[in-house]
Amino acid sequence: MKPDDLCPHPPQFPASPTEPLSAPIQLSTVYRCDDPQQAAELLSGMQSGYVYRRDDHPNAYALAEHCRQLHGAQRSAVSASGMSALSALLLSQLRAGDHIVASNQLYGRSLQLLTQETNRLGIDASVVDTCRLQSVEQAICNRTRLVVVETITNPTLRVSDVAALAELAHRYGALLAVDNTFASPAVCRPLELGADFVFESLTKIMNGHSDVLLGLLCGHDRNWERIPCVLTTWGLVANPLECWLAARGIGTLALRVQRSNCNALSAAKHLAASAKVRTVLYPGLKSHPDYPLACQQFGDQFGAMVTFVLEGGPAAATRFIRAAKQIPFAPSLGELCTTLSHPLSTSHRTMSEHDLGHLGIDGGMIRLSAGIESEAFVHAALDEGLAAV
Ligand SMILES: *Cc1c(COP(=O)(O)O)cnc(C)c1O
């Protein structure tokens, strides 16, 4: 054959009686079918298999299946980002006229999606302090279909009482969805506590290497009917290469969480011992308002996030961040290395003075995401920051 004819022809993969131990990356957007009948059966779901990547592909399946097992879920799906996992949840479960009760401490973009974007579709939300069950109950009305909270919130690291919230939502015929990004299934499995859906940004702790943007949605058979259709019709599909990378990251999830959580507890105690630190917020410290709930819900792992407030306000925070050169100021979380964030200038920059005051966020507040370095390294790195305050 001439190059003109040979070049466009798809290459043949060699047959082998053995299978690769590491999963292949399957980038193909389309699969070759035997005949029209097979194509029709695959596309309608009568036969299982792949035809077009937006509908499903092996790397998404493998990652979703791994996550399904980690959450003890009946069903799971991965999507292009944490935000698209929340979008899939809303688009599959709600319709115009429905009402949502959302935590006032949700991730900023989640709040924006729940209160502004969905509003355009005729869905409205009440934003309340979901740490107070009474406030949740007061906000519920006969149109309420969904309650949305985070397992551990940013930056004050409040813990949601998942079992109590699930009981409350169910009593009024609503579903409970939990954003478990700050915990990961290595710390908390909300479905086992009664939640109807759990969603996560796999971008953070789950992948753990700051090189992937992906989301996860897990739930029960009974609520799953519309989800595959929403994912493919709204085009929320995950990229195979990113799925493959996240699957590799998850290989070390348990080890990373164990080490980073130890470092977080140790850093929290270390910071609390400094006269330059006014407050330390960590659910694994007895001083945290949710310590008893965290022990009951999480056992002995309390997450990798530690928030602290410096005496000396915003100027002190800036000096700390500039001086702590061993800890990148990188406003995300769940990386291999310890990182710092400054809520007032990053995640919470658009929040009103009133809401900031209500949540107790000020310019002296720094949030640490503990990495997997040695405890001594983290202490020394923090001391460099503290010395400059
Ligand atoms: C990052 C984050 C999200 C959004 O996830 P993306 O993958 O960035 O879309 C949602 N919730 C929480 C708590 C997050 O930290």
Side-chain angles (χ1 to χ4, degrees):
M1 267 201 269
K2 288 187 296 186
D4 279 9
D5 302 323
L6 207 47
C7 288
H9 212 75
Q12 194 90 45
F13 249 67
S16 165
T18 53
E19 284 184 6
L21 181 58
S22 158
I25 304 171
Q26 186 58 269
L27 293 175
S28 187
T29 52
V30 67
Y31 291 72
R32 209 172 147 163
C33 305
D34 290 339
D35 53 38
Q37 187 188 339
Q38 188 198 36
E41 287 185 11
L42 285 164
L43 288 166
S44 66
M46 279 166 63
Q47 216 189 103
S48 65
Y50 304 102
V51 179
Y52 188 55
R53 195 168 97 185
R54 179 160 37 66
D55 297 331
D56 200 8
H57 57 80
N59 292 104
Y61 176 84
L63 177 61
E65 177 58 17
H66 210 167
C67 295
R68 187 190 66 74
Q69 291 174 12
L70 283 168
H71 273 290
Q74 287 174 335
R75 307 299 290 261
S76 64
V78 293
S79 61
S81 63
M83 289 315 300
S84 65
L86 176 56
S87 300
L89 168 65
L90 302 177
L91 293 166
S92 64
Q93 304 303 310
L94 304 178
R95 61 177 69 209
D98 287 347
H99 175 251
I100 304 168
V101 175
S103 159
N104 62 351
Q105 295 185 50
L106 291 184
Y107 182 68
R109 294 281 183 204
S110 301
L111 270 179
Q112 195 181 345
L113 177 56
L114 292 169
T115 60
Q116 292 167 37
E117 293 298 315
T118 47
N119 221 303
R120 294 163 53 89
L121 305 177
I123 297 162
D124 63 319
S126 300
V127 177
V128 301
D129 179 0
T130 51
C131 292
R132 294 170 39 121
L133 292 176
Q134 205 186 1
S135 305
V136 178
E137 189 161 9
Q138 279 165 1
I140 291 177
C141 64
N142 58 7
R143 296 184 295 111
T144 307
R145 294 281 165 272
L146 194 65
V147 176
V148 186
V149 301
E150 288 178 15
T151 315
I152 303 172
T153 68
N154 185 41
T156 54
L157 310 176
R158 294 301 307 266
V159 177
S160 292
D161 189 341
V162 177
L165 285 161
E167 195 277 321
L168 180 58
H170 296 160
R171 197 163 0 116
Y172 289 93
L175 300 175
L176 176 68
V178 180
D179 180 340
N180 198 51
T181 303
F182 271 46
S184 89
V187 169
C188 185
R189 291 151 54 115
L191 296 176
E192 293 181 347
L193 298 166
D196 301 284
F197 286 102
V198 59
F199 63 99
E200 278 179 11
S201 168
L202 298 180
T203 312
K204 317 287 171 57
I205 297 169
M206 290 286 267
N207 174 58
H209 294 68
S210 7
D211 50 13
V212 154
L213 193 79
L214 282 176
L216 169 70
L217 181 61
C218 293
H220 306 300
D221 283 328
R222 61 176 181 272
N223 303 316
W224 209 258
E225 198 184 337
R226 278 181 41 74
I227 287 173
C229 172
V230 163
L231 285 167
T232 190
T233 310
W234 291 80
L236 306 175
V237 61
N239 171 296
L241 176 59
E242 301 211 284
C243 291
W244 186 91
L245 286 166
R248 165 186 275 205
I250 287 171
T252 55
L253 175 73
L255 281 174
R256 286 186 287 109
V257 165
Q258 222 165 46
R259 171 65 81 96
S260 61
N261 287 14
C262 280
N263 279 343
L265 178 60
S266 166
K269 290 177 175 166
H270 189 69
L271 288 162
S274 166
K276 292 173 175 171
V277 177
R278 187 192 308 157
T279 319
V280 178
L281 297 169
Y282 186 62
L285 291 185
K286 287 200 180 69
S287 56
H288 192 279
D290 298 322
Y291 176 72
L293 173 62
C295 291
Q296 179 198 326
Q297 215 166 239
F298 307 149
D300 59 357
Q301 306 237 62
F302 301 96
M305 305 305 137
V306 180
T307 297
F308 56 102
V309 183
L310 292 169
E311 296 284 3
T318 298
R319 282 199 298 276
F320 183 100
I321 287 166
R322 286 186 179 149
K325 294 221 182 320
Q326 296 303 315
I327 315 181
F329 172 42
S332 186
L333 60 119
E335 335 285 353
L336 293 179
C337 65
T338 300
T339 59
L340 295 175
S341 179
H342 183 248
L344 188 68
S345 58
T346 62
S347 51
H348 291 70
R349 72 189 180 285
T350 59
M351 192 171 259
S352 71
E353 286 284 336
H354 173 267
D355 290 349
L356 289 168
H358 191 73
L359 295 177
I361 299 167
D362 70 48
M365 181 179 270
I366 294 175
R367 200 216 58 218
L368 180 89
S369 166
I372 62 165
E373 306 94 337
S374 71
E375 192 178 323
F377 176 92
V378 177
H379 284 200
L382 289 172
D383 286 344
E384 274 191 305
L386 288 170
V389 172

